[in-house]
Amino acid sequence: METEITEGDVPPYYREVYDAICCKLEDRVQGNVFHKLLNRTKLPPITQNQIAELVESSKEEPLSRSALYKGLVLIALAQQGKQPSAKLLENIAQEYPKPQLGDVSELESLRMQARGNPILLTWTLQDLLHIDMVQVELIPEKKGLFLKHVEYEVSSQRFKSSVYRRYNDFVVFHEILLQRFPYRMVPALPPKRMLRADREFIESRRRALKRFVNLVARHPFFSKDEILQIFLCFSGPDVQNRIRESLRGVGDEFLTCGIAPTAKELLPPDIQAQFGASRELIRNIYSSFHKLRDRAERMAFRSAENATDLLLFGKELSTLGSDTTPIPSWVSAASSMWGTLKQTLKSLSVEFALLADKAARQGKREEEEVVEKLNIFLDLLQSYKDLCERHEKGVLHEHQRALQKYTSMKRQMMSVTVQSKEQISAEQLESRIMQQENTILTMELRNYFSLFCLHQETQLIHIYLHITSHVLTAFIDSQIQGHNEMSEVWKELKPKLGGHLPNGMSSA
């Protein structure tokens, strides 16, 4: 196809489309992106193939700016009902028509979905959950009146490892993770042990530590880092020092990631607006899930209370049936009936103990399978909120300070040119200004890399949103199982009670 279309020939819309879908690093449009654009037109497949052939486009080869413009012209003409052809393109005498592709901002997603785009995460929730399953169990307490510290056995399914860790080992691991990945979601740790911490606090902290280490072990980037493997596998002495040594001479993710210098080119143009909208959305999601967790906790607590009440109810029946106080003679007519009832009441304590056990198991299932799943997602959402604050108070704040310092130096430089008696020479100031310019450039690159990571971490949050179906499934299954188990006991109990009633007496 010989017709050449230059940038000055086309309307602004054409240039906007090119800027939205071109690969900034190559200044071309990837072939598979153009084919996604063709699919968006909803033209017949035969027509789409004709347009692709006319602009010499394959899914493997990128398109130049001129080739894309040709494709846009042909799309617009085909949408008008005309048959795409080279002759049709050559005979256009009027202004190039505008193709119907929707809002330009929506076309950005076509480039973002292109194969090999490093900003996109292709993981599913199942993929993440299958990376590893880490168990954190309390080691049985040692003999003595006081326990100096609590130890945990940390077992990794992925590494087939089992190591002993103290709480302070988790603290160092957390600190080094933040240093290594300052622009990623690092979940928070539960608080340190309070004075006279009871077993309930220790168990609550164990669960929180388990959630923390599983979120880290299943993170797409943490899971590949040496720090995680050391924490889960190193069984030698002083694991804290070993973790710290692993970071020496390595630097944070910005210094080791090959994408960092070009992160700006991979970001959507409206990244700041997307960041603000995503932050507000996730804030609302956090609020809703927090309320769901609170309700689920109340239901689990009520199941546990129900178990206690059923057990005590059965014990009171047994106490009543075991009462040996003589019956007065003037009520002797009813003594035979009461004696039969007492035998029945005494025997019912077994069934009520079984009901209490079923209710306790119901509460435990609700705690472990529903509440904990909600808690792990809440921990992740909280880490996202913390990351947003680090981005604003850290990278952006440091960048602003660097710019202010640079402005101050420029003013001082101007003053030196006027007042030759300044202590600092113009040459010294010029050198410092150059150093500050380099600092500003580095801060700008860090800012864009931070936004790049935020974009990926936001995707990770949305991947984890599918945990909602896991929670609902677990909740429904738990309710069905619990009610079925208790229903069976109740059904067995009723005929037993009826069999011990006096003749002719109704159970109603």
Side-chain angles (χ1 to χ4, degrees), residues 47-92:
T47 305
Q48 294 183 30
N49 291 336
Q50 289 174 337
I51 295 174
E53 290 176 2
L54 288 167
V55 298
E56 300 177 354
S57 169
S58 68
K59 291 186 178 181
E60 290 74 27
E61 296 296 326
L63 278 74
S64 65
R65 183 186 292 267
S66 176
L68 175 69
Y69 290 162
K70 294 175 188 177
L72 294 178
V73 173
L74 291 169
I75 289 172
L77 294 173
Q79 288 175 333
Q80 295 175 5
K82 299 176 182 178
Q83 185 68 25
S85 67
K87 188 174 182 180
L88 178 66
L89 188 60
E90 293 170 0
N91 292 336
I92 292 182

Side-chain angles (χ1 to χ4, degrees), residues 112 117-121 183-184 221 253 257 259-260 262-268 271 391 445-459:
M112 303 297 286
N117 192 326
I119 199 172
L120 293 178
L121 299 182
Y183 311 124
R184 301 285 181 186
F221 300 99
E253 188 184 10
C257 181
I259 296 172
T262 56
K264 179 181 178 180
E265 306 298 328
L266 299 168
L267 293 170
I271 182 62
H391 173 75
L445 291 175
R446 281 190 173 273
N447 178 44
Y448 285 119
F449 184 66
S450 177
L451 287 170
F452 175 89
C453 294
L454 262 171
H455 194 287
Q456 291 186 322
E457 300 301 283
T458 304
Q459 294 175 60

Side-chain angles (χ1 to χ4, degrees), residues 1 185 275 310 328 448:
M1 191 172 180
M185 294 186 296
F275 168 57
L310 285 167
Y448 285 119

